[in-house]
Amino acid sequence: MTILPAVLFAQAAAAQEQGDGLSFQNTSSYVDETRIMHVLGEVKNNSGTAAKQVVITGSFYDSAGSLLGQFNATARLRVVNPGQSAPFDVRYIDPPTVSRVANYTLAVSSQQPADEKPSSMTILSSRSRLDVLGVYFIDVEARNDGEQAATAPTVVATLYDASGRVVAIGEAPAERDDRVVTALPPGQDAGFSVVVAERLQTYKAARYSLVADSDQYLSQVVTLKAAGLGAQQQQQQAPPTNGGTQNSDNRSGCLIATAAFGSELAPQVQALRDFRDGVALKTAAGSSFMTVFNSWYYSFSPQVAEYERGEPWFQSAVRASIQPLLEILELSTATFDFLSPAGGEAAILGAGIVASSLIGLIYLAPVSAAAAAVATAAAAAKKNKTATSDSKGPSRRMVIIRYLLLAAWVAGLAAIAAGQLAANNNAGEPPLPTAVMMMFGTAIVVLAAISTVTIAAAKLASAIAARW
């Protein structure tokens, strides 16, 4: 057994061959949300014989070189054929001391020689997606092309970042009709639903590999591009092709969310960007509103993002506050898709009203309702002559507010309609007055929707408090 040194959190470790022909490659490490440290990588069999019972041992040391602990992990493939690699995940499971780990070494042992497995499993198809919470789903179909049943069939998925390092590993048994398949007969196929829930790692995936394994057979390695993230990362690294930097700015403009989640490729940031690029910017009304929104947002977001990066508590608060927004945008996207047969402009208007109303309901209505309830309760507690004489004041103010809201709705919708009509009558780029009209209309409608919900919540809370 040979020990191969590796540095904690190193970006890569060179593959070093042992005497028995096993070596490490594509290693990486990270600490998850439960304070468990993961050392990920692959063991490659460079010998001429198969190896089984491949065990990786991680030895973890503090800065003084004292041993903190040793932990073992088994390679994810039952047999590693010559020339093949198997992923592993060694876990340091002592959260109280994980912050003291300064470096680690890896060692591997195996049982050789072993019987080589035929490559008689075939991966037929694969579909993958990354949801907004950072969970990576891979649906795989594989078939047994061997002459006997394949028992305990599984699929092992290895996720790699753009530099080729292993960032996450997933595994799933064969399923059919919602039941686990313990033996897959010759010539039959089954589904495998791999779920990788390490949300701190999944967004880094640029590609992934699949291997179908069983007691008798395994498959050739199939390597595929990850669910859009690798392509997006390459797009961000590539120079702009439109002669300027506007495209790059549009693709990476979620400054506060990026600072909160630590990367432009985080799934939450991707969800915000996808709503902007895939819904809002697909229509004239949506593009007009984004022009107004960007002027407001970028007036303060760089300073907020810079402060946020140095304050972990603020990052946590922003992450928590963004979660409801992601659900709101998902519902708004569904509204847009539902209304799309009526036309893109009508669809984005409906989606915008839904999003604005829910934003007001979730983020502002609780504050306005609490303030109104406290004010009403305080006024009722006084029961003096001044409060009695002004009892009609709030009612008159509410009437004025209602008329102002109605005027805002009418003005906003009228401006959007007029702007759209003018745009339809002008080929090519709409004239400046039309663009200004659309920006005014969309901004007013958004503010009116938010205000309507907020004021309605305050009115309801005031009425409840008055009854008490």
Side-chain angles (χ1 to χ4, degrees):
M1 183 170 71
T2 294
I3 293 179
L4 306 178
V7 180
L8 176 63
F9 303 133
Q11 294 302 306
Q16 302 181 37
E17 189 171 328
Q18 274 194 230
D20 55 3
L22 297 177
S23 62
F24 296 120
Q25 62 183 21
N26 303 327
T27 58
S28 70
S29 58
Y30 75 101
V31 177
D32 68 20
E33 294 175 301
T34 62
R35 304 298 296 165
I36 291 176
M37 180 181 169
H38 299 252
V39 178
L40 304 165
E42 294 174 310
V43 171
K44 185 173 183 179
N45 185 356
N46 300 298
S47 72
T49 59
K52 67 178 181 180
Q53 296 179 8
V54 179
V55 177
I56 298 90
T57 300
S59 301
F60 299 83
Y61 303 88
D62 62 16
S63 58
S66 300
L67 180 66
L68 296 173
Q70 288 184 323
F71 298 90
N72 297 328
T74 303
R76 296 300 180 94
L77 297 183
R78 282 160 261 189
V79 173
V80 185
N81 284 341
Q84 192 172 37
S85 300
F88 64 84
D89 180 1
V90 178
R91 302 183 183 186
Y92 182 89
I93 51 175
D94 188 13
T97 64
V98 70
S99 61
R100 295 172 54 195
V101 177
N103 57 72
Y104 62 81
T105 60
L106 297 175
V108 61
S109 63
S110 67
Q111 193 176 102
Q112 287 181 306
D115 293 332
E116 187 172 337
K117 275 190 185 179
S119 300
S120 298
M121 296 286 288
T122 303
I123 293 178
L124 304 175
S125 65
S126 172
R127 292 176 297 175
S128 69
R129 65 183 178 89
L130 181 67
D131 74 5
V132 297
L133 299 179
V135 180
Y136 202 101
F137 298 90
I138 308 174
D139 296 320
V140 183
E141 291 286 333
R143 183 179 63 228
N144 177 12
D145 289 328
E147 296 180 353
Q148 58 180 308
T151 56
T154 61
V155 160
V156 178
T158 307
L159 278 60
Y160 306 86
D161 64 13
S163 299
R165 298 182 296 266
V166 177
V167 294
I169 303 169
E171 188 173 356
E175 293 180 312
R176 185 182 292 141
D177 299 326
D178 296 327
R179 294 184 179 181
V180 174
V181 176
T182 58
L184 187 61
Q188 293 194 14
D189 57 70
F192 303 77
S193 299
V194 182
V195 179
V196 185
E198 289 292 348
R199 62 179 185 175
L200 295 179
Q201 296 291 99
T202 52
Y203 74 88
K204 302 176 184 177
R207 61 184 177 90
Y208 64 94
S209 67
L210 300 172
V211 177
D213 193 12
S214 69
D215 292 332
Q216 294 76 18
Y217 311 116
L218 48 70
S219 72
Q220 297 289 339
V221 178
V222 174
T223 302
L224 301 165
K225 186 170 68 175
L229 297 182
Q232 290 173 8
Q233 187 178 45
Q234 291 174 359
Q235 196 171 35
Q236 289 175 347
Q237 292 172 346
T241 57
N242 59 354
T245 59
Q246 182 176 0
N247 184 59
S248 177
D249 292 341
N250 286 341
R251 293 295 301 169
S252 58
C254 305
L255 302 181
I256 295 176
T258 298
F261 293 100
S263 172
E264 294 174 357
L265 296 180
Q268 296 86 352
V269 181
Q270 294 293 325
L272 297 173
R273 184 179 291 119
D274 289 344
F275 180 84
R276 180 195 65 192
D277 298 342
V279 178
L281 294 180
K282 291 175 68 175
T283 63
S287 298
S288 298
F289 172 73
M290 288 307 305
T291 300
V292 178
F293 176 81
N294 287 340
S295 298
W296 169 76
Y297 178 76
Y298 288 110
S299 67
F300 65 88
S301 61
Q303 294 80 10
V304 174
E306 182 177 359
Y307 173 79
E308 183 183 357
R309 292 187 187 96
E311 300 292 338
W313 70 268
F314 191 37
Q315 288 179 313
S316 299
V318 172
R319 285 195 295 267
S321 67
I322 285 178
Q323 292 301 329
L325 179 60
L326 297 175
E327 300 296 330
I328 290 172
L329 296 183
E330 186 173 351
L331 182 58
S332 300
T333 301
T335 303
F336 179 84
D337 293 337
F338 177 78
L339 297 177
S340 290
E345 301 303 326
I348 192 61
L349 181 60
I353 291 175
V354 168
S356 303
S357 300
L358 290 176
I359 287 172
L361 181 65
I362 298 298
Y363 294 98
L364 299 179
V367 177
S368 68
V374 170
T376 300
K382 289 181 180 179
K383 295 183 180 179
N384 53 32
K385 184 176 180 180
T386 303
T388 303
S389 64
D390 289 340
S391 60
K392 294 185 180 180
S395 177
R396 288 195 296 268
R397 287 198 295 271
M398 184 56 64
V399 171
I400 294 174
I401 290 174
R402 288 172 181 171
Y403 278 118
L404 289 175
L405 277 178
L406 179 61
W409 277 106
V410 172
L413 294 174
I416 293 174
Q420 185 60 41
L421 182 62
N424 292 338
N425 294 330
N426 289 275
E429 187 74 12
L432 180 60
T434 299
V436 172
M437 196 180 304
M438 289 287 284
M439 288 187 286
F440 169 81
T442 54
I444 291 298
V445 166
V446 167
L447 293 175
I450 294 174
S451 301
T452 299
V453 173
T454 304
I455 293 171
K459 181 65 176 176
L460 179 62
S462 179
I464 294 174
R467 288 178 179 270
W468 287 353

